[in-house]
C-alpha cells in the first residue's frame, strides 16, 4: 500500500541517489549563520502571506512572523523575538532571538533560571568579576575567542554580564532549573565551546545524521542542546513521538518536517524557521538540496516525567519544583 510517508521517502531517496559525495557548506568562510536573520527571498513578500502556523501540538514561526519587543532588564536598545514560551501547549522553556547593538548589555535571568546562549552573528563578552570570556559566531574571530555558545546555571545566569561586541544576534534558551531529587547537591557548571569541537555521537541505527550534544550527559543538567546535521537526501528513519518537548531553529539548509497527529502537516522549512514541538508530537524530517541542513534543538532530559509539570504549567509550577516543592 502506498502511503504519504512512503511517497515522501521515495522522493527523498531520489535526491539521495543523486549525491556524488558529501557536500560542504555552500560558503566555508561565512560568518556564523547569516540566513537566520537575513533569509534569502523566497516569494513571501505579498502582504498577509506566511508559512507560520500554531497547532495544538506544534508551532512553526517563520522570519516574516517574528515580532520584536523590548526585554525586561535589558539594554533598551536590544530587542527580542520569542519563538517558544510557556504560553504554548506544554512548554517549560523560552526560546528567543535577540538583537544586540554594539556595547549593549543583556539583562539578568530571573531567580532560579538557567540560560543557554548561541551566538548567531557577531560576538559577546561574558564576564563575572575578573573572569571573562569572548564568544563569536566565527571560530577565527581572535586567539582569545573560546566558543560560540555558553551555558550559565541558575546561580550564574543572574550575575554574569553579557555584552555585545559589534552588531550581534544571539539565540537564547531559558528555563527554571529543576534539580534532580536524587542529586540535590550536584549543581550544573558553566559550559562553553564551539559546536564543531564537540564529538559526534551515534544517533542509533539505522539513523545516519550527525549528532552533537553541547552539554554534559549528566543528571545535574535538566536539558540539553542538540545540533543535528543532515546531508541532502538523509532523513529520520523513526517518526518520533516522546514525552520530551523541543524548541528548534534551522541554522542552515532546508528540508521537509512532518509534524502532528494522524496524517500530520508537512512543512517546507529553511534557515531562519523555528519550530516548537509539544510532548508526544509526532515528528519526522528529511533534508533537501543544495547543501546540508543544520539545526539546533532544545530537549528536556534527565527528569522523571511525573515531576516535570503538565500542560501549560510554565514558570509558576517550575518555581515550586526549583524550590523542592514536589
Amino acid at each position: 500500500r502506498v502511503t504519504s510517508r512512503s511517497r515522501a521517502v521515495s522522493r527523498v531517496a531520489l535526491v539521495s541517489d543523486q549525491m556524488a559525495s558529501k557536500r560542504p557548506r555552500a560558503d566555508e568562510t561565512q560568518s556564523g549563520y547569516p540566513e537566520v536573520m537575513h533569509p534569502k527571498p523566497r516569494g513571501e513578500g505579498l502582504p498577509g502571506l506566511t508559512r507560520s502556523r500554531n497547532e495544538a501540538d506544534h508551532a512553526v514561526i517563520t522570519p516574516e512572523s517574528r515580532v520584536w519587543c523590548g526585554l525586561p532588564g535589558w539594554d533598551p536598545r536590544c530587542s527580542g523575538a520569542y519563538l517558544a514560551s510557556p504560553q504554548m501547549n506544554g512548554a517549560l522553556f523560552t526560546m528567543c532571538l535577540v538583537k544586540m547593538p554594539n556595547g549593549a548589555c543583556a539583562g539578568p535571568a530571573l531567580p532560579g533560571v538557567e540560560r543557554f546562549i548561541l551566538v548567531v552573528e557577531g560576538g559577546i563578552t561574558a564576564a563575572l568579576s575578573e573572569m571573562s570570556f569572548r564568544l563569536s559566531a566565527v571560530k577565527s574571530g581572535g586567539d582569545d575567542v573560546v566558543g560560540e555558545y555558553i551555558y550559565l546555571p541558575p546561580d550564574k545566569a543572574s550575575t554574569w554580564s553579557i555584552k555585545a561586541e559589534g552588531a550581534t544576534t544571539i539565540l537564547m534558551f531559558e528555563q527554571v532549573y529543576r534539580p534532580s531529587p536524587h542529586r540535590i547537591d550536584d549543581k550544573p557548571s558553566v559550559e562553553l565551546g564551539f559546536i564543531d569541537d564537540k564529538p559526534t555521537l551515534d544517533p542509533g541505527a539505522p539513523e545516519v545524521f550527525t549528532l552533537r550534544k553541547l552539554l554534559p550527559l549528566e543528571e545535574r543538567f535538566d536539558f540539553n542542546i542538540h545540533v543535528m546535521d543532515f546531508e541532502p537526501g538523509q532523513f529520520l528513519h523513526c517518526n518520533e513521538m516522546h514525552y520530551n518537548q523541543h524548541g528548534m531553529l534551522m541554522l542552515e539548509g532546508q528540508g521537509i518536517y512532518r509534524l502532528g497527529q494522524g496524517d500530520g502537516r508537512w512543512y517546507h522549512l529553511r534557515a531562519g524557521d523555528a519550530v516548537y514541538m509539544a510532548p508526544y508530537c509526532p515528528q519526522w524530517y528529511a533534508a533537501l538540496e543544495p547543501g546540508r541542513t543544520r539545526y539546533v534543538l532544545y530537549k528536556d532530559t534527565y527528569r522523571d516525567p511525573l515531576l516535570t509539570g503538565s500542560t501549560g504549567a510554565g514558570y509558576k509550577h517550575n518555581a515550586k519544583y526549583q524550590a523542592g516543592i514536589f
Side-chain angles (χ1 to χ4, degrees):
R1 186 168 70 93
V2 178
T3 65
S4 56
R5 175 177 169 81
S6 64
R7 285 194 297 268
V9 171
S10 297
R11 289 194 295 268
V12 173
L14 288 175
V15 177
S16 182
D17 290 342
Q18 296 169 0
M19 292 175 59
S21 62
K22 290 188 70 175
R23 293 158 175 78
R25 287 164 64 162
D27 181 0
E28 293 289 354
T29 65
Q30 72 180 29
S31 171
Y33 302 99
E35 286 193 55
V36 170
M37 295 299 292
H38 312 286
K40 295 177 181 178
R42 304 281 184 169
E44 282 106 358
L46 293 177
L49 291 184
T50 182
R51 292 177 293 114
S52 298
R53 194 174 190 96
N54 187 23
E55 296 287 328
D57 58 359
H58 69 272
V60 174
I61 298 181
T62 55
E64 70 275 3
S65 296
R66 296 173 189 162
V67 176
W68 300 90
C69 61
L71 299 172
W74 289 59
D75 187 307
R77 296 174 296 164
C78 296
S79 59
Y82 280 97
L83 307 175
S85 73
Q87 285 72 22
M88 289 175 167
N89 190 14
L92 300 175
F93 67 98
T94 61
M95 174 172 62
C96 187
L97 274 175
V98 184
K99 296 186 291 188
M100 303 176 68
N102 182 42
C105 293
L110 290 171
V113 169
E114 54 193 332
R115 176 180 282 179
F116 179 93
I117 291 173
L118 172 67
V119 181
V120 176
E121 290 182 317
I124 60 173
T125 298
L128 177 66
S129 300
E130 301 299 320
M131 179 171 53
S132 67
F133 301 101
R134 291 187 65 226
L135 295 99
S136 172
V138 185
K139 191 171 184 178
S140 59
D143 293 338
D144 57 343
V145 172
V146 296
E148 61 188 310
Y149 68 84
I150 186 168
Y151 165 80
L152 297 173
D155 60 333
K156 303 290 194 300
S158 60
T159 57
W160 281 53
S161 69
I162 304 292
K163 186 176 182 179
E165 297 183 350
T168 295
T169 301
I170 62 172
L171 174 66
M172 181 174 67
F173 294 95
E174 289 189 317
Q175 177 176 284
V176 176
Y177 177 66
R178 303 160 296 159
S180 168
H182 309 290
R183 291 177 170 81
I184 293 293
D185 297 326
D186 196 5
K187 305 297 184 183
S189 55
V190 174
E191 301 289 333
L192 49 80
F194 291 100
I195 292 173
D196 290 335
D197 287 347
K198 300 295 289 185
T200 58
L201 304 176
D202 181 4
E207 305 293 0
V208 294
F209 62 87
T210 301
L211 171 65
R212 293 177 174 89
K213 297 184 180 182
L214 304 187
L215 299 181
L217 306 180
E218 300 172 8
E219 195 168 337
R220 59 196 175 106
F221 292 87
D222 65 340
F223 74 87
N224 214 313
I225 300 296
H226 297 189
V227 175
M228 300 167 69
D229 295 341
F230 296 78
E231 295 301 322
Q234 293 181 343
F235 56 89
L236 290 173
H237 286 263
C238 175
N239 192 332
E240 297 181 5
M241 191 173 181
H242 46 63
Y243 83 89
N244 315 87
Q245 55 193 267
H246 291 319
M248 185 271 280
L249 180 67
M250 294 278 288
L251 298 174
E252 295 177 352
Q254 62 176 337
I256 303 298
Y257 233 116
R258 183 257 189 230
L259 298 167
Q261 307 295 330
D263 291 336
R265 294 191 177 276
W266 301 75
Y267 299 95
H268 178 197
L269 300 183
R270 52 230 191 200
D273 293 346
V275 178
Y276 167 68
M277 292 168 250
Y280 296 105
C281 172
Q283 53 203 256
W284 179 83
Y285 182 73
L288 299 176
E289 293 276 13
R292 77 168 181 186
T293 290
R294 166 167 283 188
Y295 60 69
V296 58
L297 182 87
Y298 158 98
K299 182 178 183 179
D300 56 315
T301 57
Y302 281 121
R303 294 299 178 265
D304 193 313
L306 289 174
L307 296 176
T308 53
S310 57
T311 299
Y315 180 84
K316 184 177 179 180
H317 169 88
N318 283 303
K320 292 180 179 179
Y321 192 112
Q322 192 270 343
I325 303 172
F326 305 128

